[in-house]
Amino acid sequence: MDRSRAPASSKIVVAGSFGVGKTTFVGSVSEITPLSTEAVMTRASEGVDDLVATPEKATTTVAMDFGRITLDQEMVLFLFGTPGQQRFWFMWDDIVRGAIGAVVLADTRRLEESFPALDYFDGAELPYIVAVNHFEGTPEYTEDDVREALALPWHIQVVICDARKRHSVLEVLLALVKQALAAQPE
């Protein structure tokens, strides 16, 4: 390898519904202090943000999260986490521009909230995978269970992860990069 050459960089988007673990996902694997636009939730979000599944949530992403991970001497990933609330979805088009792929993070306590992100990435024609973030105390489901519940086609990969654990997030990112590279025209 030519060490005088900078490693190739690629943009990855981490998307999903409100409170699914996107900020945690980016932060757990980033080798730099992640840029986060977390803001304290105020009374203004009452009746707008559903906290039933995440009653302890006190902050929310209002723009994006950003992190970086070096996979090897030849590849650096820049991670961009989207805001999850519908009122911020207008930013997704800008955040997605230039990405090689996306991770749609899903929460089995509320899988139905995954459909807007899945619809978005189907329409964007961007390679993506579904990463199921298992929260403590929730039932565990297999990849096939989630695929069936979300009516995902066979070519959309489903992986189980723990957004708090670096090795788990790294496995998700490697699976996405492999899929995105395979989708590139030769």
Side-chain angles (χ1 to χ4, degrees):
M1 178 185 135
D2 179 7
R3 294 193 187 277
S4 64
R5 188 172 63 116
S9 60
S10 295
K11 180 178 184 179
I12 301 291
V13 174
V14 181
S17 63
F18 171 73
V20 76
K22 299 175 298 291
T23 299
T24 301
F25 185 98
V26 171
S28 70
V29 75
S30 183
E31 63 198 18
I32 62 170
T33 301
L35 167 69
S36 179
T37 59
E38 287 283 293
V40 175
M41 295 178 64
T42 65
R43 292 201 114 134
S45 72
E46 287 179 10
V48 177
D49 297 325
D50 182 1
L51 296 174
V52 171
T54 56
E56 302 298 316
K57 188 163 179 59
T59 62
T60 188
T61 301
V62 296
M64 70 173 189
D65 298 309
F66 174 79
R68 182 187 77 204
I69 178 76
T70 302
L71 294 181
D72 60 27
Q73 294 176 342
E74 296 183 21
M75 175 67 75
V76 174
L77 298 180
F78 294 106
L79 308 175
F80 290 78
T82 64
Q85 300 95 319
Q86 184 175 359
R87 65 185 178 275
F88 297 125
W89 289 352
F90 68 92
M91 292 186 247
W92 285 28
D93 289 338
D94 290 329
I95 293 171
V96 167
R97 191 171 294 117
I100 65 163
V103 174
V104 174
L105 210 52
D107 179 348
T108 56
R109 298 172 296 182
R110 48 201 171 102
L111 276 178
E112 69 282 356
E113 293 179 15
S114 302
F115 288 114
L118 295 172
D119 291 344
Y120 179 88
F121 288 105
D122 281 338
E125 298 180 4
L126 186 68
Y128 71 92
I129 64 175
V130 174
V132 179
N133 187 18
H134 273 296
F135 288 83
E136 287 183 33
T138 62
E140 291 191 20
Y141 297 94
T142 67
E143 289 92 343
D144 288 338
D145 292 336
V146 173
R147 175 180 307 288
E148 183 177 334
L150 293 174
L152 294 171
W154 65 269
H155 69 278
I156 302 299
Q157 186 175 356
V158 177
V159 293
I160 306 298
C161 76
D162 184 334
R164 300 167 302 173
K165 297 184 179 171
R166 180 180 174 82
H167 74 277
S168 183
V169 171
L170 189 54
E171 288 176 10
V172 171
L173 294 172
L174 289 172
L176 175 61
V177 168
K178 187 176 184 180
Q179 180 175 322
L181 290 174
Q184 296 292 318
E186 293 185 34

